[in-house]
Amino acid sequence: MKKKIIILYLLSLVGLVGLSCREQENTPAMYDSGFTEVMGTFAHFVVVTTDEQTVRRCFDAALQECIRVDGLMSDYKSESELSVVNRSAFEKPVAVSEELYQLIETSLDYSKRTDGAFDITIGPLVDLWRKAGNMQQQPSEEELATARARVGFDKLVLDPARKTVAFAVEGMRLDLGGIAKGYAIDRAVQVMREAGIPGGLVDIGGDVRCFGTPPPGKKHWTIGLQDPQNEEDILLKLGLNDMAVATSGNYRRFVLVGQQKHSHIINPSTRDSAAGLSSVTILAPKAVDADALATAVTVLGMEKGLQLIEGIPETEAMLISSNNPEHVIRTAGTEVFIIQ
Ligand code: ADP
Ligand code: MG
C-alpha cells in the first residue's frame, strides 16, 4: 500500500507546483484529489484542466465509478454480483451483467495465453493459504488436493448467448483480485474523459493509468517505481503518456506460516505461492492488461514471463528477482520511458 503513497507523493508535489505557478485563466493547472479508501486500498485522481469548475465533479464521478465496479466485482461484499455467482453457479448457471461477463471472458483469455498461470478460479487455493496464515499451520496434502481440484479455468462454463456463468465442480470460487483494480482504473479514466477532462491520472493502490495533457510544463507524467527492498527509495522514474503501469509483488502482501512467507499470488500448478520474482511491473496501454499481466508474470517467473511480454505489442516489463534484488531486468522497449 505504501508503494502507492510514494508514487502519489511525487505527483502531489508536482501538483502543488502546478497550482501555484498558474498564471493565466487559459493555462491548464493540475488538481489532486488526495486519497480515498476503496477496493481495499486507496484511490487517488489527478486532473489537468483550464476549467476549475469541472474538477470536483470529475473527482466525484471517478470515485463513484470505482465504488460501482467494486460493488459488482468484490468478493468481500456478499451482495456483489460476483458473490452471487460464487454462491450459486454450481447449482445453476447464473446470468450476469454484460460488464462482469466481459471481464470474466478477458480473464479466461489471459488463462489461455499464460497456460493457466493467470486463473481467476484460484479462489479455493487463496482461501486455503489465507487460513494457513491465520492458523499458523501448513495446509495438509489432502487440503491442498481438495482445493486444487476446485481450481481450473477449464471448469468455468460460460454461455456467451445467455451471458451466464456456471461452475462444473462444487466449491469453486472466482477471485478477480488480480484484474479488477486495473479494470476499475480504465473505467475511471473513461468517466473522467467523458466529463471533458483533457488530461489526468487514476491511481488505485499504486496501479496507475495516465491520459491526455500532462502536468503543466511537463512533456509526460512522472511515475516512480519503488524499490521493493526499501520502500522509501525510488528505483527509477518513468515518463509516460497515455499508458498504464501495474506492479505485483510478493514482497508486501504475504502470509507467514512458520518462518515461511507465502505471497497472495498463487501458482495453480504448484498450489503454493509464486516464488522467484519479488516485483513485477508491467507497462501497457490499458490498466486491465497491465494488472492481469503483472499477476501472470509473477506466476510464470523470469524466463517465461519475459517471453510472454516480448510477444505482446506496446507492452513492457520490469522485473526484480528475489535472489538479485539490486538488479532490474527490463524488456528492450522500456528504455524510452526511463527518465532517470
Ligand atoms: P495486488 O493486489 O497486490 O496489486 P495483484 O494484482 O497481483 O496484486 O493481485 C493479486 C490477487 O490476485 C490476489 O490477492 C488474488 O486475489 C488474485 N490471484 C492470486 N493468484 C492468482 C492467479 N494465479 N491468477 C489470477 N489471480 C490470482
Ligand atoms: Mg494484477
Side-chain angles (χ1 to χ4, degrees), residues 118 177-179 207 248 290-295:
F118 184 85
I179 194 168
D207 292 346
S248 283
D291 190 6
L293 286 168
T295 308

Side-chain angles (χ1 to χ4, degrees), residues 117-119 122 175 177-178 181 248 253 264-266 291 295 299:
F118 184 85
D119 192 336
I122 201 74
D175 181 336
K181 262 189 294 170
S248 283
R253 285 178 58 197
H264 65 305
I265 299 172
I266 311 285
D291 190 6
T295 308
V299 174

